[in-house]
């Protein structure tokens, strides 16, 4: 009875659990590894119009594509969710700002345009002085605009106070008088710049402090001679790394946060732009196609 159990207790035989180590496999974590050399075939692709300028932008849910004469919004399955006519001039570049919950678009006619993520509201920002601009990017607090001329300037505007002007960086702090900023991208307090030199085939990717523009490191990108000059693009990847879209020959360069080229791989047909969509999708645009890859 219960009293007997309380007096004498319960005798339990316990045997050790023996694990055969040959039957146990623990997969090594690769959570901090990204290698574009292992990109397989895209898991989604669509045809898109042949466009000399191929801007892309994304947030965690949507990807915005310039598909002249429309702006098109896609999800992560590359399903077209919505499109709206684009009535402004040709788009030079665009980026996403989570601070104001809008895409920011710059045009070849010096306009800066805001469009919400549902493509329902489009408005031109009149308070920003018109300049010939080629590239744009956002931090949490600022919009950075790079001008489309040799000795490029970088303008900084406050996203938290209706695009109030903060600062203008000029040559030689941005680049030399005979150099052009092709592309700028922001991530985690850092600005990545793609720089080309007039009458020189070599390009550079440089990392700068976004607060001081102090150079942290620089990596040369060797190219072959070509007639005309195609835009080289840069986008941020996971783990504070960077992807460079290079030409002549067409290839992708994966650059680590400390300035080492981790991977070079050819890409055909030639890539024109790329963006990290969410945390695990790399969207790459060519002249006629948009491809999604798992990363």
């Amino acid at each position: 009875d219960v009293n007997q159990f309380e007096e004498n207790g319960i005798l339990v035989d316990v045997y050790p659990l023996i694990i055969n180590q040959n039957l146990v496999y623990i997969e090594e974590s690769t959570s901090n590894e990204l290698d574009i050399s292992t990109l397989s075939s895209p898991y989604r692709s669509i045809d898109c119009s042949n466009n000399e300028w191929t801007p892309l932008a994304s947030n965690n849910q949507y990807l915005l594509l310039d598909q002249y004469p429309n702006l098109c919004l896609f999800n992560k399955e590359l399903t077209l969710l919505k499109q709206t006519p684009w009535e402004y001039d040709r788009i030079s570049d665009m980026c996403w700002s989570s601070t104001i919950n809008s895409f920011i678009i710059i045009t070849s006619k010096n306009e800066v345009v805001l469009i919400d993520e549902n493509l329902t509201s489009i408005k031109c920002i009149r308070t920003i002085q018109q300049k010939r601009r080629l590239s744009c990017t956002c931090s949490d607090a600022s919009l950075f605009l790079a001008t489309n001329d040799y000795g490029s300037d970088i303008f900084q505007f406050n996203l938290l106070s209706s695009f109030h002007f903060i600062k203008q960086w000029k040559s030689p702090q941005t680049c030399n008088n005979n150099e052009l900023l092709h592309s700028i991208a922001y991530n985690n307090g850092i600005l990545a710049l793609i720089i080309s030199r007039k009458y020189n085939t070599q390009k550079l990717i440089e990392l700068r402090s976004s607060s001081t523009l102090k150079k942290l490191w620089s990596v040369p990108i060797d190219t072959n001679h070509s007639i005309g000059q195609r835009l080289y693009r840069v986008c941020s990847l996971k783990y504070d790394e960077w992807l460079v879209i290079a030409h002549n020959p067409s290839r992708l360069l994966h650059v680590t946060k400390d300035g080492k080229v981790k991977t070079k791989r050819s890409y055909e047909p030639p890539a024109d732009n790329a963006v990290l969509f969410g945390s695990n999708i790399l969207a790459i645009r060519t002249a006629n196609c948009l491809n999604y890859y798992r990363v």
Side-chain angles (χ1 to χ4, degrees), residues 151-195:
S152 305
D153 294 343
I154 296 178
F155 289 80
Q156 182 180 1
F157 299 90
N158 193 333
L159 292 170
L160 303 173
S161 62
S162 302
F163 297 94
H164 177 76
F165 172 75
I166 297 175
K167 190 168 185 176
Q168 177 183 0
W169 281 284
K170 298 182 178 181
S171 176
Q173 192 172 9
T174 53
C175 59
N176 294 325
N177 286 330
N178 63 340
E179 293 177 332
L180 173 72
L181 297 182
H182 281 228
S183 178
I184 60 175
Y186 172 88
N187 186 43
N188 198 21
I190 301 297
L191 281 176
L193 314 179
I194 299 293
I195 302 173

Side-chain angles (χ1 to χ4, degrees), residues 23 66 88 101 129 132 137 143 151 161 166 170 176 294-295:
L23 300 178
D66 173 20
Y88 293 88
N101 205 36
Q129 183 182 5
R132 295 179 64 244
T137 191
L143 167 66
S161 62
I166 297 175
K170 298 182 178 181
N176 294 325
R294 298 286 188 191
V295 293

Side-chain angles (χ1 to χ4, degrees), residues 4 23 33-34 51-53 87 93 127 130 143 149 159-160 170 184 212 229 237 240-241 253 267 270 272 295:
Q4 183 179 357
L23 300 178
E33 287 292 331
L34 175 63
N51 193 337
E52 180 184 356
W53 296 54
E87 299 177 353
D93 199 8
T127 56
Q130 290 194 345
L143 167 66
D149 45 24
L159 292 170
L160 303 173
K170 298 182 178 181
I184 60 175
T212 65
Q229 182 165 246
L237 297 174
D240 297 329
E241 297 181 334
L253 276 65
Y267 195 92
D272 287 322
V295 293

Side-chain angles (χ1 to χ4, degrees), residues 201-203 221-227 232 247-249 251:
T201 60
Q202 189 179 75
K203 311 293 188 294
I221 306 168
D222 292 323
T223 63
N224 298 324
H225 177 73
S226 64
I227 298 175
Y232 284 54
H247 306 289
N248 305 317
R251 62 204 188 281

